[in-house]
Amino acid sequence: MTKRLAEVAKKAGVSEATVSRVLNGRSGVSEATRTSVLTALDVLGYERPTKLRGERARLVGLVLPELQNPIFPALAEVVTSSLAQRGFTPALCARTIGGVPESDYVEMLLDHQVSGVIFAGGSYALTDASHEHYRRLTERGLPVVLVNAGVDELGFPRVSTDDAVAVEQAYGHLRSLGHERIGMVLGPEGHVPSRRKLNALLQVTGSTEAQKWVERSSFSMEGARVAATKLVERGVTGIICASDVLALGAIRAARRLGRAVPGDVSVVGFDDSAFMTCTDPPLTTVRQPIEMMGQAAVDLLVSQIDEAREFSDELLFEPELVVRGSTGPVRRD
């Protein structure tokens, strides 16, 4: 018990006597200090006293698929800052290859009695993945918000970039430069945002023939290089990619085949993540409005937590085409 008091006191920045007063429900402690002590108790993994277990911590989980793609740290910065301004303590959970799976993070967050969870790029976006851990959150009545498209039956509110508008912008840009053989590098078959982008391509071209110019890839540069190589070898002169990371892989593919970017092949990314102005050439991409989306996700979550409001809708945010050096007029032989 003494060790626990010392650890919680250090984490909360208060005395052991103050921790003891909070845990025993005594008076003489400000609400802010009491919240800090209970949050420290939750973060350290200690059980609350029985009489305090009915209260959820002002702790919110943010679960990300990775931190290597710059778009996710950018989202984390917006969400954690917005949560802190609302009086919540963010708990960042980032998955890594061979590391803690998303379902285990959910169990940890439930054990810590979080007030809610924001997910970005999770298995909710994959139709063939297990979604059981999301159903556990529903059973607990825990507020949840998803960033970008996911499977419909989960019923959680979503804050998404409009994939149809993104494809319209990218495709229209390449067509305006004279490109006719335009391909796409998308995520896996069951990836819902990639499905939306494919449907948008079929709509904008008005033909199912466009599918022959589509290749699938994992969300990695190496996977994109393999996929884009197939497209370039088939004569594609413009490539639209489902992420900036995939676009960088496509540029690498073109160069390994002896093609110039944008002289022979134009490439468009998606995200406008950090450092895309520093690539060679600077990347033309469709910018996700990450700041607005992150703040909207927090607004939705806090409304569920503090006002017990229920949402199941999807908020769509319009992206913006950012033209840089990776796209240019089609080469006329």
Side-chain angles (χ1 to χ4, degrees), residues 12-238:
V14 299
S15 68
E16 292 182 32
T18 299
V19 174
S20 179
R21 283 198 294 274
V22 171
L23 297 184
N24 289 295
R26 295 174 187 162
S27 59
V29 181
S30 70
E31 188 58 34
T33 298
R34 181 174 176 276
T35 299
S36 296
V37 170
L38 292 177
T39 299
L41 196 75
D42 294 328
V43 170
L44 291 169
Y46 290 123
E47 279 194 20
R48 295 186 179 200
T50 304
K51 59 187 174 184
L52 299 177
R53 287 179 192 169
E55 301 179 31
R56 279 184 175 146
R58 299 283 285 183
L59 188 69
V60 169
L62 172 60
V63 184
L64 304 176
E66 57 167 313
L67 293 178
Q68 291 182 330
N69 185 335
I71 200 67
F72 293 117
L75 176 67
E77 184 177 359
V78 174
V79 170
T80 56
S81 175
S82 185
L83 284 170
Q85 290 172 9
R86 302 293 194 90
F88 290 90
T89 301
L92 178 61
C93 304
R95 291 181 284 134
T96 57
I97 296 174
V100 179
E102 189 177 68
S103 57
D104 285 358
Y105 272 132
V106 167
E107 292 302 320
M108 292 179 193
L109 292 171
L110 287 173
D111 288 344
H112 284 82
Q113 296 184 315
V114 294
S115 296
V117 186
I118 295 174
F119 290 91
S123 56
Y124 63 85
L126 299 170
T127 58
D128 54 356
S130 172
H131 301 133
E132 191 57 38
H133 52 290
Y134 298 121
R135 295 187 179 93
R136 291 209 58 209
L137 296 173
T138 301
E139 291 167 2
R140 295 283 191 95
L142 200 70
V144 171
V145 175
L146 309 179
V147 177
N148 278 326
V151 295
D152 292 330
E153 59 265 24
L154 293 175
F156 296 133
R158 289 161 287 174
V159 174
S160 304
T161 299
D162 193 324
D163 290 302
V165 172
V167 171
E168 289 168 8
Q169 291 177 346
Y171 188 85
H173 171 61
L174 291 175
R175 288 288 294 175
S176 73
L177 294 171
H179 295 275
E180 296 180 356
R181 295 190 298 276
I182 299 172
M184 292 188 79
V185 176
L186 299 176
E189 176 67 33
H191 184 244
V192 177
S194 290
R195 284 189 173 183
R196 289 186 174 190
K197 290 180 174 69
L198 175 58
N199 289 336
L201 178 68
L202 299 181
Q203 282 287 117
V204 77
T205 60
S207 170
T208 57
E209 285 292 305
Q211 292 191 75
K212 69 181 181 181
W213 305 114
V214 175
E215 290 291 336
R216 301 282 182 173
S217 168
S218 61
F219 280 95
S220 67
M221 275 202 286
E222 185 56 31
R225 187 190 66 78
V226 173
T229 296
K230 297 176 183 177
L231 292 175
V232 175
E233 288 178 337
R234 295 208 298 269
V236 162
T237 64

